[in-house]
Amino acid sequence: MSTYVYGITASSHPALSEDLVGVGDPPRQVRVLQAGELAAVVSDAPEGLRPKRKDLLAHQAVLAEAGAAGVVLPMRFGSVAPDDDTVTGVLTERADHYKERLGALEGKVEYNVKASHQEEAVLHRVMSENPEIRAMTEANRQAGGGSYDDRLRLGEMVVAAVKAREAEDATEVQQALEPLAADVAAGPESSGWLLNVSFLVDRDSADEFLAAVDQVRNSHPHIELRVNGPLPPYSFVEPGPAEHASSAAGPGIAQE
């Protein structure tokens, strides 16, 4: 049977509750596989697993219990290896890497920050900062709206100015928060966000980091910031047993 991997810990990690269960219907019993100084928190993998709310919450609950007792390298939902031996084999093969990551993530959490522009506010700012756009807008107004070419040119100028402001604001937000983080990881680009970045933050400094986020909000009212956290440090764990095995173990490995 395939093995579902929740996370990696040190083998000295305190024992988990004997009645802890994870994903699946019925929920699978969580167990620990040890390999030298490392251990993996796993369960049997249910067939046809999909990211349903119940299973997503179960995955998070297992990581929450493991993380409450000490540092854990979290795997993303859907990390499945062919069997237990594959998991322990990868732990052994990449022991130095995982031990380094456990040390680096001790006492740290992840905050994901996404930034977007408030459309009316950023247009007002672009107009106020760009005399040429203001002059053309006024000229078109006095000309009853302006010609098609004039309107097209004005629209192109506004789009270019907004794009430039997006790049500048993304840099400003990241630079304001980076000094309070131990590490930074860029998230996938997606439409609608000018910034999608995860910050690795000392748990004891979380209030200071969130205060810095509020300061950025106050100083950049045309930017909407969305903060998700504290989270297990998903973005700062490089390949886990399931991902690493997928390059060599062939079919049967699933990753969300």
Side-chain angles (χ1 to χ4, degrees):
M1 178 175 286
S2 299
T3 302
Y4 187 97
V5 186
Y6 299 90
I8 298 169
T9 69
S11 58
S12 58
H13 192 280
L16 302 177
S17 301
E18 292 184 2
D19 58 353
L20 183 62
V21 294
V23 299
D25 187 15
R28 279 18 180 208
Q29 181 72 40
V30 172
R31 49 198 170 82
V32 175
L33 302 176
Q34 294 199 356
E37 297 179 46
L38 297 171
V41 180
V42 306
S43 69
D44 292 342
E47 294 184 6
L49 183 66
R50 295 292 181 268
K52 297 179 181 178
R53 177 175 173 79
K54 174 177 176 293
D55 287 318
L56 289 167
L57 290 175
H59 180 94
Q60 293 171 8
V62 172
L63 285 172
E65 173 155 340
V71 62
V72 57
L73 307 184
M75 297 297 107
R76 295 190 182 277
F77 178 86
S79 295
V80 179
D83 50 41
D84 288 0
D85 288 344
T86 300
V87 176
T88 55
V90 174
L91 291 183
T92 300
E93 178 185 344
R94 292 178 57 78
D96 289 344
H97 168 75
Y98 291 132
K99 287 189 286 185
E100 183 277 328
R101 287 286 81 199
L102 285 167
L105 300 181
E106 178 72 46
K108 295 181 175 62
V109 292
E110 175 176 335
Y111 282 91
N112 175 256
V113 177
K114 291 183 173 70
S116 61
H117 272 154
Q118 297 182 19
E119 186 173 351
E120 290 189 12
V122 75
L123 287 175
H124 178 78
R125 178 157 185 161
V126 163
M127 292 283 289
S128 66
E129 294 175 341
N130 194 310
E132 188 176 0
I133 290 178
R134 291 201 307 274
M136 179 164 285
T137 300
E138 179 61 20
N140 284 357
R141 187 188 66 80
Q142 292 182 2
S147 67
Y148 171 80
D149 286 343
D150 287 340
R151 295 195 303 273
L152 180 63
R153 183 177 173 224
L154 177 60
E156 290 173 343
M157 290 172 62
V158 170
V159 169
V162 169
K163 287 289 186 186
R165 170 50 59 189
E166 285 180 351
E168 291 174 12
D169 285 339
T171 298
E172 288 180 14
V173 171
Q174 184 163 335
Q175 288 181 344
L177 300 178
E178 271 185 348
L180 299 167
D183 201 356
V184 177
E189 293 185 7
S190 60
S191 59
W193 302 111
L194 59 93
L195 181 75
N196 177 14
V197 175
S198 287
F199 297 86
L200 185 66
V201 177
D202 286 334
R203 191 182 298 274
D204 293 341
S205 302
D207 288 346
E208 185 179 353
F209 178 81
L210 294 175
V213 172
D214 286 339
Q215 186 174 357
V216 172
R217 283 195 181 104
N218 293 333
S219 61
H220 296 72
H222 62 293
I223 299 177
E224 181 176 341
L225 291 181
R226 181 178 299 178
V227 181
N228 191 16
L231 303 168
Y234 291 109
S235 300
F236 302 93
V237 181
E238 294 169 8
E243 299 97 315
H244 184 76
S246 65
S247 65
I253 297 164
Q255 176 66 22
E256 182 190 19

